[in-house]
DNA sequence: AGCGTCACCCGGACGC
DNA sequence: TGCGTCCGGGTGACGC
């Protein structure tokens, strides 16, 4: 993000050509630049009438034609905005899209075996695979019956196939249910009502009834069924 | 180079 | 009740 002054100079007069997405980034293709937006945890992006009063946590307001404004609101200031002519500097290192063609069971198996890392951190690594966050990783690993501390290159072909399917399944379900609203800053989603393990410490596993355990893996709260997700050697 | 760890941020939840 | 502390998310910076 350039200085506010430079940002204003650069974006003035730009036209929004199209809006796309890569991983967790919005991409607004402008005439001469790309405006990238990452909402992180608490960010939101919406259109208002320019006459409306700013909300408390509005961080960026871009005036549009037709008396409209594009608002970036972000309570926790975790979100990020970039105005750039070289989006590859930000997006270039991202791994494949989990819902894209490149992401196949064979790709997953081969890629997991190129590394020797714990499953949870590698799945959260956006340069490995772009799009899984903490919730979806826990959910996918539970479906695949794999322990978050399992090691990437010990996953079998068959397990990779199941994990591949699980990742796609949880992402599609998350999308279908408009995401998860686990905190007052996350709004509108329904996926939190269908969690298998995430945020369910002590509650019964929906598969076997064993109480779900919470542990910390790579600084992240991690939820696991100790019965379904055995850590093998 | 590649991986693990930490800081960033804030309002809500919790404990005293 | 009020105050202090902790927590959680994703990622870039940092360090080993």
């Amino acid at each position: 993000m350039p200085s506010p002054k430079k940002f204003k100079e650069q974006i003035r007069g730009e036209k929004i050509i199209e809006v796309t997405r890569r991983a967790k980034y919005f991409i607004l293709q402008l005439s001469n630049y790309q405006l990238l937006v990452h909402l992180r945890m608490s960010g939101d992006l919406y259109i208002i009438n320019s006459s409306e009063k700013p909300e408390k946590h509005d961080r960026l307001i871009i005036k549009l034609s037709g008396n409209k404004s594009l608002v970036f609101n972000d309570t926790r200031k975790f979100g990020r905005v970039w105005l750039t002519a070289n989006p590859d500097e930000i997006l270039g290192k991202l791994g494949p899209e989990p819902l894209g063609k490149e992401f196949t069971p064979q790709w997953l198996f081969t890629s997991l075996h190129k590394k020797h890392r714990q499953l949870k951190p590698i799945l959260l690594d956006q340069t490995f695979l772009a799009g899984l966050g903490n919730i979806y990783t826990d959910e996918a690993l539970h479906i695949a019956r794999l322990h978050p501390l399992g090691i990437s290159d010990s996953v079998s072909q068959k397990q990779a196939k199941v994990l591949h399917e699980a990742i796609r399944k949880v992402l599609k379900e998350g999308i279908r249910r408009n995401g998860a609203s686990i905190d007052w800053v996350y709004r509108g989603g329904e996926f939190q009502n269908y969690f298998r393990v995430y945020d369910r410490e002590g509650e019964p596993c929906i598969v076997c009834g064993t109480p779900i355990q919470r542990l910390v893996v790579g600084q992240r709260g991690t939820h696991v069924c100790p019965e379904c997700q055995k850590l093998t050697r």
Side-chain angles (χ1 to χ4, degrees), chain A residues 13 21 47 50 79 98 102 106 161 174 189 191 233:
Chain A
R21 176 194 66 79
I47 303 281
S50 298
E102 201 187 327
Q106 188 56 46
K161 187 168 187 284
F191 189 42
R233 47 165 272 98

Side-chain angles (χ1 to χ4, degrees), chain A residues 19 30-31 56 59 70 97 110 126 142 190 192 207 217:
Chain A
V19 181
L30 309 181
S31 317
K56 185 172 180 186
R59 308 299 180 185
L70 177 65
E97 292 282 333
T110 306
Q126 303 296 296
H142 181 261
E190 294 292 330
Q192 69 279 9
V207 175
V217 181

Side-chain angles (χ1 to χ4, degrees), chain A residues 125-221:
Chain A
D125 185 342
Q126 303 296 296
T127 68
F128 180 80
L129 182 64
L132 285 181
N134 201 38
I135 294 171
Y136 295 91
T137 304
D138 280 6
E139 295 294 299
L141 285 170
H142 181 261
I143 293 175
R145 305 178 68 85
L146 289 166
H147 197 283
L149 293 172
I151 299 300
S152 60
D153 59 0
S154 66
V155 169
S156 69
Q157 282 268 11
K158 190 177 175 187
Q159 287 172 325
K161 187 168 187 284
V162 176
L163 179 59
H164 170 270
E165 198 175 318
I167 287 169
R168 291 208 180 202
K169 183 183 157 86
V170 292
L171 286 175
K172 284 178 187 172
E173 185 178 2
I175 291 165
R176 183 159 56 86
R177 302 199 187 279
N178 297 313
S181 306
I182 56 168
D183 195 349
W184 67 275
V185 292
Y186 312 76
R187 299 175 308 280
E190 294 292 330
F191 189 42
Q192 69 279 9
N193 299 323
Y194 302 90
F195 287 159
R196 303 166 65 97
V197 285
Y198 184 82
D199 205 24
R200 291 193 63 240
E201 182 181 16
E203 295 175 36
C205 172
I206 60 168
V207 175
C208 71
T210 305
I212 299 302
Q213 288 180 355
R214 182 183 187 277
L215 52 154
V216 175
V217 181
Q219 277 74 17
R220 305 259 72 106

